[in-house]
Structures are given as structure tokens and as C-alpha cells.
Coordinates of all heavy atoms in Angstrom, one line a residue:
M112 N -7.6 -25.2 20.7 CA -6.3 -24.6 20.4 C -6.3 -23.1 20.8 O -7.3 -22.4 20.5 CB -6.0 -24.7 18.9 CG -4.7 -24.1 18.5 SD -4.4 -24.4 16.7 CE -2.8 -23.9 16.6
L113 N -5.3 -22.7 21.5 CA -5.2 -21.3 21.9 C -4.7 -20.4 20.8 O -3.9 -20.8 20.0 CB -4.3 -21.1 23.1 CG -4.7 -21.8 24.4 CD1 -3.6 -21.7 25.4 CD2 -6.0 -21.2 24.9
A114 N -5.2 -19.2 20.7 CA -4.7 -18.2 19.8 C -3.3 -17.8 20.1 O -2.9 -17.8 21.3 CB -5.6 -17.0 19.7
P115 N -2.4 -17.6 19.2 CA -1.0 -17.1 19.5 C -1.0 -15.8 20.2 O -1.8 -14.9 19.9 CB -0.3 -17.0 18.1 CG -1.4 -16.9 17.1 CD -2.6 -17.6 17.7
C116 N -0.2 -15.7 21.2 CA 0.0 -14.4 21.9 C 1.0 -13.5 21.2 O 2.1 -13.9 20.9 CB 0.4 -14.7 23.3 SG 0.6 -13.2 24.3
L117 N 0.5 -12.3 20.9 CA 1.3 -11.4 20.2 C 2.1 -10.4 21.1 O 2.9 -9.6 20.6 CB 0.5 -10.6 19.1 CG -0.2 -11.4 18.1 CD1 -1.1 -10.5 17.2 CD2 0.8 -12.2 17.3
D118 N 1.8 -10.5 22.4 CA 2.4 -9.6 23.3 C 3.8 -10.1 23.7 O 4.0 -11.3 23.7 CB 1.6 -9.5 24.6 CG 0.3 -8.8 24.4 OD1 0.2 -8.0 23.5 OD2 -0.7 -9.2 25.1
D119 N 4.7 -9.2 23.9 CA 6.1 -9.7 24.3 C 6.0 -10.0 25.8 O 5.0 -9.9 26.5 CB 7.1 -8.6 24.0 CG 7.0 -7.4 24.8 OD1 6.3 -7.4 25.8 OD2 7.7 -6.4 24.4
E120 N 7.1 -10.5 26.3 CA 7.2 -11.1 27.6 C 6.8 -10.0 28.7 O 6.1 -10.3 29.7 CB 8.6 -11.7 27.9 CG 8.6 -12.5 29.2 CD 9.9 -13.2 29.3 OE1 10.4 -13.7 28.3 OE2 10.4 -13.3 30.5
E121 N 7.3 -8.8 28.5 CA 7.0 -7.8 29.5 C 5.5 -7.4 29.6 O 5.0 -7.3 30.6 CB 7.8 -6.5 29.2 CG 9.3 -6.7 29.5 CD 10.1 -5.4 29.2 OE1 9.6 -4.4 28.6 OE2 11.3 -5.4 29.5
V122 N 4.9 -7.4 28.4 CA 3.4 -7.1 28.4 C 2.7 -8.3 29.0 O 1.7 -8.1 29.8 CB 3.0 -6.8 27.0 CG1 1.4 -6.7 26.9 CG2 3.6 -5.6 26.4
Q123 N 3.1 -9.5 28.7 CA 2.5 -10.6 29.3 C 2.5 -10.6 30.9 O 1.7 -11.1 31.5 CB 3.1 -11.9 28.8 CG 2.8 -12.2 27.3 CD 3.6 -13.4 26.8 OE1 3.8 -14.4 27.6 NE2 3.9 -13.4 25.6
H124 N 3.6 -10.0 31.4 CA 3.8 -9.9 32.9 C 3.3 -8.5 33.3 O 3.6 -8.1 34.4 CB 5.2 -10.1 33.3 CG 5.6 -11.5 33.0 ND1 6.2 -12.0 31.9 CD2 5.5 -12.6 33.8 CE1 6.5 -13.3 32.0 NE2 6.0 -13.7 33.1
E125 N 2.5 -7.9 32.5 CA 1.8 -6.6 32.9 C 2.8 -5.5 33.2 O 2.5 -4.6 34.0 CB 0.8 -6.8 34.0 CG -0.3 -7.8 33.6 CD -1.3 -8.0 34.7 OE1 -1.2 -7.4 35.7 OE2 -2.3 -8.8 34.4
N126 N 4.0 -5.5 32.6 CA 4.9 -4.4 32.7 C 4.7 -3.5 31.5 O 5.2 -3.8 30.4 CB 6.3 -4.9 32.8 CG 7.3 -3.8 32.9 OD1 7.0 -2.6 32.9 ND2 8.6 -4.1 32.9
L127 N 3.9 -2.4 31.7 CA 3.5 -1.5 30.6 C 4.3 -0.2 30.7 O 3.8 0.8 30.2 CB 2.0 -1.3 30.7 CG 1.2 -2.6 30.6 CD1 -0.3 -2.2 30.7 CD2 1.4 -3.4 29.4
S128 N 5.5 -0.2 31.3 CA 6.2 1.1 31.5 C 6.8 1.6 30.2 O 7.1 2.8 30.1 CB 7.3 0.9 32.5 OG 8.2 -0.1 32.1
T129 N 6.9 0.8 29.2 CA 7.4 1.2 27.9 C 6.3 1.3 26.9 O 5.3 0.6 27.0 CB 8.5 0.2 27.4 OG1 9.5 0.1 28.4 CG2 9.1 0.8 26.1
A130 N 6.4 2.2 25.9 CA 5.3 2.4 24.9 C 5.4 1.3 23.9 O 6.0 1.4 22.9 CB 5.5 3.8 24.3
Y131 N 4.7 0.2 24.2 CA 4.7 -1.0 23.3 C 4.0 -0.7 22.0 O 4.2 -1.4 21.1 CB 4.1 -2.2 24.0 CG 5.0 -2.6 25.2 CD1 4.6 -2.2 26.5 CD2 6.1 -3.3 25.0 CE1 5.4 -2.5 27.6 CE2 6.9 -3.7 26.1 CZ 6.5 -3.3 27.4 OH 7.3 -3.6 28.4
I132 N 3.1 0.2 22.0 CA 2.2 0.4 20.9 C 2.9 1.2 19.8 O 2.5 1.2 18.6 CB 0.9 1.1 21.3 CG1 -0.2 1.0 20.2 CG2 1.1 2.6 21.6 CD1 -0.8 -0.4 20.1
S133 N 4.0 1.9 20.1 CA 4.6 2.9 19.1 C 5.1 2.2 17.9 O 4.9 2.7 16.8 CB 5.8 3.6 19.8 OG 6.8 2.7 20.2
W134 N 5.7 1.0 18.0 CA 6.2 0.3 16.7 C 5.0 0.0 15.9 O 5.1 0.0 14.6 CB 7.0 -0.9 17.1 CG 6.1 -2.0 17.7 CD1 5.9 -2.3 18.9 CD2 5.4 -3.0 16.9 NE1 5.1 -3.4 19.1 CE2 4.8 -3.9 17.9 CE3 5.3 -3.3 15.6 CZ2 4.0 -4.9 17.5 CZ3 4.5 -4.4 15.2 CH2 3.8 -5.2 16.1
Y135 N 3.9 -0.4 16.5 CA 2.7 -0.8 15.7 C 2.1 0.4 15.0 O 1.8 0.3 13.8 CB 1.7 -1.4 16.7 CG 0.4 -1.9 16.0 CD1 0.5 -3.1 15.3 CD2 -0.8 -1.2 16.1 CE1 -0.7 -3.6 14.6 CE2 -1.9 -1.7 15.5 CZ -1.8 -2.9 14.7 OH -3.0 -3.3 14.1
I136 N 2.1 1.6 15.6 CA 1.5 2.8 15.0 C 2.5 3.2 13.8 O 2.0 3.5 12.7 CB 1.4 3.9 16.0 CG1 0.2 3.6 16.9 CG2 1.2 5.2 15.3 CD1 0.1 4.5 18.1
T137 N 3.8 3.1 14.0 CA 4.7 3.4 13.0 C 4.5 2.4 11.8 O 4.5 2.8 10.6 CB 6.2 3.2 13.5 OG1 6.4 4.2 14.5 CG2 7.2 3.5 12.4
L138 N 4.3 1.1 12.1 CA 4.1 0.2 11.0 C 2.8 0.5 10.3 O 2.8 0.5 9.0 CB 4.0 -1.2 11.6 CG 3.6 -2.4 10.6 CD1 4.8 -2.5 9.6 CD2 3.4 -3.7 11.4
I139 N 1.7 0.8 11.0 CA 0.5 1.2 10.3 C 0.6 2.4 9.4 O 0.1 2.5 8.3 CB -0.6 1.4 11.4 CG1 -1.0 0.1 12.1 CG2 -1.9 2.0 10.8 CD1 -1.6 -1.0 11.3
N140 N 1.3 3.4 10.0 CA 1.5 4.7 9.2 C 2.3 4.4 7.9 O 2.0 4.9 6.9 CB 2.2 5.7 10.0 CG 1.3 6.3 11.1 OD1 0.1 6.3 10.9 ND2 1.8 6.9 12.1
T141 N 3.3 3.6 8.0 CA 4.2 3.2 6.9 C 3.3 2.5 5.8 O 3.4 2.8 4.6 CB 5.3 2.3 7.3 OG1 6.1 3.1 8.2 CG2 6.2 1.9 6.1
C142 N 2.5 1.5 6.3 CA 1.6 0.8 5.4 C 0.6 1.7 4.7 O 0.4 1.6 3.5 CB 0.9 -0.3 6.1 SG 1.9 -1.7 6.6
M143 N 0.1 2.6 5.5 CA -0.9 3.5 4.9 C -0.3 4.4 3.8 O -0.9 4.7 2.8 CB -1.6 4.4 6.0 CG -2.5 3.6 6.9 SD -3.8 2.6 6.0 CE -4.7 4.0 5.3
R144 N 1.0 4.9 4.1 CA 1.7 5.7 3.1 C 1.9 4.9 1.8 O 1.7 5.4 0.7 CB 3.0 6.2 3.6 CG 2.8 7.5 4.5 CD 4.2 8.2 4.6 NE 5.2 7.3 5.2 CZ 5.4 7.1 6.4 NH1 4.7 7.6 7.4 NH2 6.4 6.3 6.8
L145 N 2.3 3.6 1.9 CA 2.6 2.8 0.8 C 1.3 2.5 0.0 O 1.3 2.5 -1.2 CB 3.2 1.4 1.2 CG 4.6 1.5 1.8 CD1 5.1 0.2 2.3 CD2 5.6 2.2 0.9
I146 N 0.2 2.2 0.7 CA -1.1 2.0 0.1 C -1.6 3.2 -0.6 O -2.0 3.1 -1.8 CB -2.1 1.5 1.1 CG1 -1.7 0.1 1.6 CG2 -3.5 1.5 0.6 CD1 -2.5 -0.4 2.8
T147 N -1.4 4.4 0.0 CA -1.8 5.6 -0.6 C -1.0 5.9 -1.9 O -1.6 6.3 -2.9 CB -1.7 6.8 0.4 OG1 -2.5 6.5 1.5 CG2 -2.1 8.1 -0.3
S148 N 0.3 5.7 -1.8 CA 1.1 5.9 -3.0 C 0.7 4.9 -4.2 O 0.6 5.4 -5.3 CB 2.6 5.7 -2.7 OG 3.0 6.6 -1.8
A149 N 0.5 3.7 -3.8 CA 0.1 2.7 -4.8 C -1.3 3.1 -5.4 O -1.5 3.0 -6.6 CB 0.0 1.3 -4.2
H150 N -2.2 3.5 -4.5 CA -3.6 3.9 -5.0 C -3.5 5.1 -6.0 O -4.1 5.1 -7.0 CB -4.5 4.2 -3.8 CG -5.8 4.6 -4.2 ND1 -6.2 5.9 -4.4 CD2 -6.9 3.9 -4.5 CE1 -7.5 5.9 -4.7 NE2 -7.9 4.7 -4.8
R151 N -2.7 6.1 -5.6 CA -2.5 7.2 -6.5 C -1.9 6.8 -7.9 O -2.3 7.3 -8.9 CB -1.6 8.3 -5.9 CG -2.3 9.0 -4.7 CD -1.4 10.0 -4.1 NE -2.1 10.7 -3.0 CZ -1.5 11.3 -2.0 NH1 -0.1 11.3 -2.0 NH2 -2.2 11.9 -1.1
Y152 N -0.9 5.9 -7.8 CA -0.3 5.4 -9.0 C -1.3 4.7 -10.0 O -1.4 5.1 -11.2 CB 0.8 4.4 -8.6 CG 1.4 3.6 -9.8 CD1 2.4 4.3 -10.6 CD2 1.0 2.3 -10.2 CE1 3.0 3.6 -11.6 CE2 1.6 1.7 -11.2 CZ 2.6 2.3 -12.0 OH 3.1 1.7 -13.0
F153 N -2.1 3.8 -9.4 CA -3.1 3.2 -10.3 C -4.2 4.1 -10.7 O -4.8 4.0 -11.8 CB -3.7 1.9 -9.6 CG -2.6 0.8 -9.4 CD1 -2.1 0.5 -8.2 CD2 -2.2 0.2 -10.6 CE1 -1.1 -0.5 -8.1 CE2 -1.2 -0.8 -10.5 CZ -0.7 -1.2 -9.3
T154 N -4.6 5.0 -9.9 CA -5.6 6.0 -10.3 C -5.1 6.9 -11.4 O -5.8 7.1 -12.4 CB -6.0 6.9 -9.1 OG1 -6.6 6.1 -8.0 CG2 -7.0 7.9 -9.5
L155 N -3.9 7.3 -11.3 CA -3.3 8.1 -12.4 C -3.2 7.3 -13.7 O -3.6 7.9 -14.7 CB -1.9 8.6 -11.9 CG -1.2 9.5 -13.0 CD1 -1.9 10.8 -13.3 CD2 0.2 9.8 -12.4
A156 N -2.8 6.1 -13.6 CA -2.7 5.3 -14.8 C -4.1 5.1 -15.4 O -4.3 5.1 -16.6 CB -2.1 3.9 -14.5
H157 N -5.1 4.9 -14.5 CA -6.5 4.8 -15.0 C -6.9 6.0 -15.8 O -7.5 5.9 -16.9 CB -7.4 4.5 -13.8 CG -8.9 4.4 -14.2 ND1 -9.5 3.2 -14.4 CD2 -9.8 5.4 -14.3 CE1 -10.7 3.4 -14.7 NE2 -11.0 4.8 -14.7
E158 N -6.7 7.2 -15.2 CA -7.1 8.4 -15.8 C -6.3 8.7 -17.1 O -6.8 9.2 -18.1 CB -7.0 9.6 -14.8 CG -7.9 9.4 -13.6 CD -9.3 9.2 -13.9 OE1 -9.8 9.7 -15.0 OE2 -10.0 8.5 -13.2
L159 N -5.0 8.4 -17.1 CA -4.2 8.5 -18.3 C -4.8 7.6 -19.4 O -4.8 8.1 -20.6 CB -2.8 8.2 -18.1 CG -2.0 9.2 -17.3 CD1 -0.6 8.7 -16.9 CD2 -1.9 10.5 -18.0
A160 N -5.2 6.5 -19.1 CA -5.8 5.6 -20.1 C -7.1 6.2 -20.7 O -7.4 5.9 -21.9 CB -6.1 4.2 -19.5
H161 N -7.8 7.0 -19.9 CA -9.0 7.6 -20.4 C -8.6 8.7 -21.5 O -9.5 9.1 -22.2 CB -9.8 8.3 -19.3 CG -10.7 7.4 -18.6 ND1 -11.7 6.7 -19.3 CD2 -10.9 7.0 -17.3 CE1 -12.4 5.9 -18.5 NE2 -11.9 6.1 -17.3
N162 N -7.4 9.2 -21.5 CA -7.0 10.1 -22.5 C -7.0 9.4 -23.9 O -7.1 10.1 -24.9 CB -5.6 10.7 -22.2 CG -5.7 11.7 -21.1 OD1 -6.7 12.3 -20.9 ND2 -4.6 11.9 -20.4
L163 N -6.9 8.1 -23.9 CA -6.8 7.3 -25.1 C -8.1 6.7 -25.4 O -8.5 6.5 -26.6 CB -5.7 6.2 -25.0 CG -4.3 6.8 -24.7 CD1 -3.4 5.6 -24.3 CD2 -3.8 7.5 -25.9
V164 N -8.9 6.2 -24.4 CA -10.1 5.5 -24.6 C -11.1 6.0 -23.5 O -10.8 5.9 -22.3 CB -10.0 4.0 -24.5 CG1 -11.3 3.3 -24.7 CG2 -8.9 3.5 -25.4
Q165 N -12.2 6.6 -23.9 CA -13.2 7.1 -22.9 C -13.9 6.1 -22.1 O -14.0 6.1 -20.9 CB -14.2 8.1 -23.6 CG -13.5 9.4 -24.1 CD -13.0 10.2 -22.9 OE1 -13.7 10.3 -21.9 NE2 -11.7 10.6 -23.0
P166 N -14.6 5.1 -22.8 CA -15.4 4.1 -22.0 C -14.5 3.1 -21.2 O -13.4 2.9 -21.6 CB -16.3 3.5 -23.0 CG -15.5 3.6 -24.3 CD -14.7 4.9 -24.2
H167 N -15.1 2.5 -20.2 CA -14.5 1.4 -19.5 C -14.7 0.2 -20.3 O -15.7 -0.5 -20.1 CB -15.0 1.3 -18.1 CG -14.7 2.5 -17.2 ND1 -15.6 3.2 -16.5 CD2 -13.5 3.0 -16.9 CE1 -15.0 4.1 -15.9 NE2 -13.8 4.1 -16.1
N168 N -13.8 -0.2 -21.1 CA -14.0 -1.4 -21.9 C -12.6 -2.1 -22.0 O -11.7 -1.7 -21.3 CB -14.5 -1.1 -23.3 CG -13.6 -0.1 -24.1 OD1 -12.5 0.1 -23.8 ND2 -14.2 0.6 -25.1
S169 N -12.6 -3.1 -22.8 CA -11.3 -3.9 -22.9 C -10.2 -3.1 -23.4 O -9.0 -3.3 -23.1 CB -11.5 -5.2 -23.7 OG -11.9 -4.8 -25.0
E170 N -10.5 -2.2 -24.3 CA -9.4 -1.3 -24.9 C -8.8 -0.4 -23.8 O -7.6 -0.2 -23.7 CB -9.9 -0.5 -26.0 CG -8.8 0.2 -26.8 CD -9.4 1.0 -28.0 OE1 -10.6 1.2 -28.1 OE2 -8.5 1.5 -28.8
H171 N -9.7 0.2 -23.0 CA -9.3 1.0 -21.8 C -8.4 0.1 -20.9 O -7.4 0.6 -20.4 CB -10.5 1.6 -21.1 CG -10.1 2.4 -19.9 ND1 -9.9 1.8 -18.6 CD2 -9.8 3.7 -19.8 CE1 -9.6 2.8 -17.8 NE2 -9.5 3.9 -18.4
E172 N -8.9 -1.1 -20.6 CA -8.1 -2.0 -19.7 C -6.8 -2.3 -20.3 O -5.8 -2.4 -19.5 CB -8.9 -3.3 -19.5 CG -8.3 -4.2 -18.6 CD -8.2 -3.7 -17.1 OE1 -9.0 -2.8 -16.8 OE2 -7.3 -4.2 -16.4
F173 N -6.7 -2.4 -21.6 CA -5.4 -2.7 -22.2 C -4.4 -1.5 -22.0 O -3.3 -1.7 -21.5 CB -5.6 -2.9 -23.7 CG -4.3 -2.9 -24.5 CD1 -3.5 -4.1 -24.5 CD2 -3.8 -1.8 -25.1 CE1 -2.3 -4.1 -25.2 CE2 -2.6 -1.8 -25.8 CZ -1.8 -2.9 -25.8
Y174 N -4.9 -0.3 -22.2 CA -4.0 0.8 -22.0 C -3.7 1.1 -20.6 O -2.5 1.4 -20.2 CB -4.6 2.1 -22.7 CG -4.5 2.1 -24.2 CD1 -5.6 2.0 -25.0 CD2 -3.2 2.2 -24.8 CE1 -5.5 1.9 -26.4 CE2 -3.1 2.1 -26.2 CZ -4.3 2.0 -27.0 OH -4.2 2.0 -28.3
F175 N -4.7 0.9 -19.7 CA -4.4 1.0 -18.3 C -3.3 0.0 -17.8 O -2.4 0.4 -17.1 CB -5.7 0.7 -17.5 CG -5.6 0.5 -16.0 CD1 -5.2 1.6 -15.2 CD2 -5.8 -0.7 -15.4 CE1 -5.0 1.4 -13.8 CE2 -5.6 -0.9 -14.1 CZ -5.2 0.2 -13.3
S176 N -3.5 -1.2 -18.3 CA -2.5 -2.3 -17.9 C -1.1 -1.9 -18.5 O -0.1 -2.1 -17.8 CB -2.9 -3.6 -18.4 OG -4.1 -4.0 -17.8
A177 N -1.1 -1.5 -19.7 CA 0.2 -1.1 -20.4 C 0.9 0.0 -19.6 O 2.1 -0.1 -19.4 CB 0.0 -0.8 -21.8
I178 N 0.1 1.0 -19.2 CA 0.7 2.1 -18.5 C 1.3 1.7 -17.1 O 2.4 2.0 -16.7 CB -0.3 3.3 -18.3 CG1 -0.6 3.9 -19.7 CG2 0.2 4.3 -17.3 CD1 -1.8 4.8 -19.7
C179 N 0.5 0.8 -16.4 CA 0.9 0.3 -15.2 C 2.2 -0.5 -15.3 O 3.1 -0.4 -14.5 CB -0.2 -0.6 -14.5 SG -1.6 0.3 -14.0
E180 N 2.2 -1.4 -16.3 CA 3.4 -2.2 -16.5 C 4.6 -1.4 -16.9 O 5.7 -1.7 -16.4 CB 3.1 -3.3 -17.6 CG 2.1 -4.3 -17.2 CD 1.7 -5.3 -18.3 OE1 2.5 -5.3 -19.3 OE2 0.7 -5.9 -18.2
K181 N 4.4 -0.4 -17.7 CA 5.6 0.4 -18.1 C 6.3 1.1 -17.0 O 7.5 1.2 -17.0 CB 5.1 1.5 -19.1 CG 6.1 2.5 -19.5 CD 7.0 2.0 -20.5 CE 8.0 3.1 -21.0 NZ 9.1 2.6 -21.6
H182 N 5.6 1.5 -15.9 CA 6.2 2.3 -14.9 C 6.2 1.6 -13.5 O 6.5 2.2 -12.5 CB 5.5 3.6 -14.8 CG 5.5 4.4 -16.1 ND1 6.6 5.0 -16.5 CD2 4.5 4.6 -17.0 CE1 6.4 5.6 -17.7 NE2 5.1 5.3 -18.0
V183 N 5.8 0.3 -13.4 CA 5.7 -0.3 -12.1 C 7.1 -0.4 -11.4 O 7.1 -0.4 -10.2 CB 5.0 -1.7 -12.3 CG1 5.9 -2.7 -12.9 CG2 4.5 -2.2 -10.9
Q184 N 8.2 -0.6 -12.2 CA 9.5 -0.6 -11.5 C 9.8 0.7 -10.8 O 10.3 0.7 -9.7 CB 10.6 -1.0 -12.5 CG 10.5 -2.4 -12.9 CD 11.7 -2.8 -13.9 OE1 12.2 -1.9 -14.6 NE2 12.1 -4.0 -13.9
G185 N 9.4 1.8 -11.4 CA 9.5 3.1 -10.8 C 8.7 3.2 -9.5 O 9.2 3.8 -8.5
L186 N 7.5 2.7 -9.5 CA 6.7 2.6 -8.3 C 7.4 1.8 -7.3 O 7.4 2.2 -6.1 CB 5.3 2.1 -8.6 CG 4.4 1.9 -7.4 CD1 4.0 3.2 -6.8 CD2 3.1 1.1 -7.8
G187 N 7.9 0.7 -7.6 CA 8.6 -0.2 -6.7 C 9.8 0.5 -6.0 O 10.0 0.4 -4.8
K188 N 10.5 1.2 -6.8 CA 11.7 2.0 -6.3 C 11.2 3.1 -5.4 O 11.8 3.3 -4.3 CB 12.5 2.6 -7.5 CG 13.3 1.5 -8.2 CD 14.0 2.1 -9.4 CE 14.7 1.0 -10.2 NZ 15.3 1.6 -11.5
L189 N 10.2 3.8 -5.8 CA 9.6 4.8 -4.9 C 9.1 4.3 -3.6 O 9.5 4.8 -2.5 CB 8.5 5.5 -5.7 CG 7.8 6.6 -4.9 CD1 8.7 7.8 -4.7 CD2 6.5 7.0 -5.6
L190 N 8.4 3.2 -3.6 CA 7.9 2.6 -2.4 C 9.0 2.1 -1.5 O 9.0 2.2 -0.3 CB 6.9 1.5 -2.7 CG 5.6 1.9 -3.4 CD1 4.7 0.7 -3.7 CD2 4.9 3.0 -2.6
A191 N 10.1 1.5 -2.1 CA 11.2 1.0 -1.4 C 12.0 2.1 -0.7 O 12.6 1.9 0.3 CB 12.1 0.2 -2.3
S192 N 11.9 3.3 -1.3 CA 12.7 4.4 -0.7 C 12.1 5.1 0.5 O 12.7 5.9 1.2 CB 13.0 5.5 -1.8 OG 11.8 6.1 -2.2
H193 N 10.8 4.7 0.8 CA 10.1 5.3 1.9 C 10.1 4.4 3.1 O 10.1 3.3 3.1 CB 8.6 5.6 1.5 CG 8.5 6.8 0.5 ND1 9.1 8.0 0.7 CD2 7.9 6.9 -0.6 CE1 8.9 8.8 -0.3 NE2 8.1 8.1 -1.2
Ligands
ZN281 ZN1 -12.6 5.6 -15.5

């Protein structure tokens, strides 16, 4: 079975006069911004939970999860706006 070809018809015919890679770089940059924002969100929630519980235990996990759940819709709106 052949792997699916991801190149468009012009690239398949070796017409490389247009910057075909630009959409891909834009997509990667957008994904990286979304991942970075989500990572910061969860890191902040993790550290906020440490204000309530110092060790990494089930109680810390409870507060971490509660903080994440409380504000996850805001995160979703923020990510959707970018
Ligand atoms: Zn920690």
C-alpha cells in the first residue's frame, strides 16, 4: 500500500514557483502558540494549587483540577480568539 501523497497537484508536477511551505509554517506557529498558552495555563494552575497544598499529593491534585476546571472555558475562549 502506498503512503498518501500530501503534495498538491502543482508540487507533484514539480512546479515549485509558489511558496507551498508557507501555510505549513503558519499552521505550526499557530499550534505552537496554542500549546504554549495551554502549557502556561496548566503551569499557573499547578503553582496556584501549591499555595493551598505544598506536596504533590492527592489533595494538591484536587485543587489543581478544581482550578483548571473553574477557568477552562476562559482558556478555550482565549485560544479560540488567536
Ligand atoms: Zn509542583
Side-chain angles (χ1 to χ4, degrees):
M112 179 177 190
L113 294 174
C116 182
L117 301 177
D118 296 329
D119 67 16
E120 189 171 324
E121 290 181 349
V122 173
Q123 291 177 30
H124 292 93
E125 299 181 1
N126 180 0
L127 304 176
S128 59
T129 307
Y131 295 98
I132 197 74
S133 62
W134 70 269
Y135 184 72
I136 290 174
T137 299
L138 176 65
I139 294 295
N140 286 339
T141 300
C142 289
M143 291 306 295
R144 279 196 306 274
L145 295 177
I146 290 169
T147 299
S148 296
H150 182 264
R151 287 178 181 161
Y152 173 80
F153 290 111
T154 299
L155 181 60
H157 177 95
E158 297 306 327
L159 287 172
H161 274 305
N162 288 334
L163 302 168
V164 180
Q165 288 299 312
H167 294 125
N168 57 22
S169 60
E170 190 178 9
H171 177 271
E172 182 64 23
F173 170 82
Y174 286 112
F175 168 68
S176 297
I178 293 167
C179 290
E180 290 174 17
K181 172 75 175 163
H182 303 286
V183 74
Q184 287 184 333
L186 173 65
K188 289 177 185 173
L189 177 69
L190 296 179
S192 69
H193 290 309

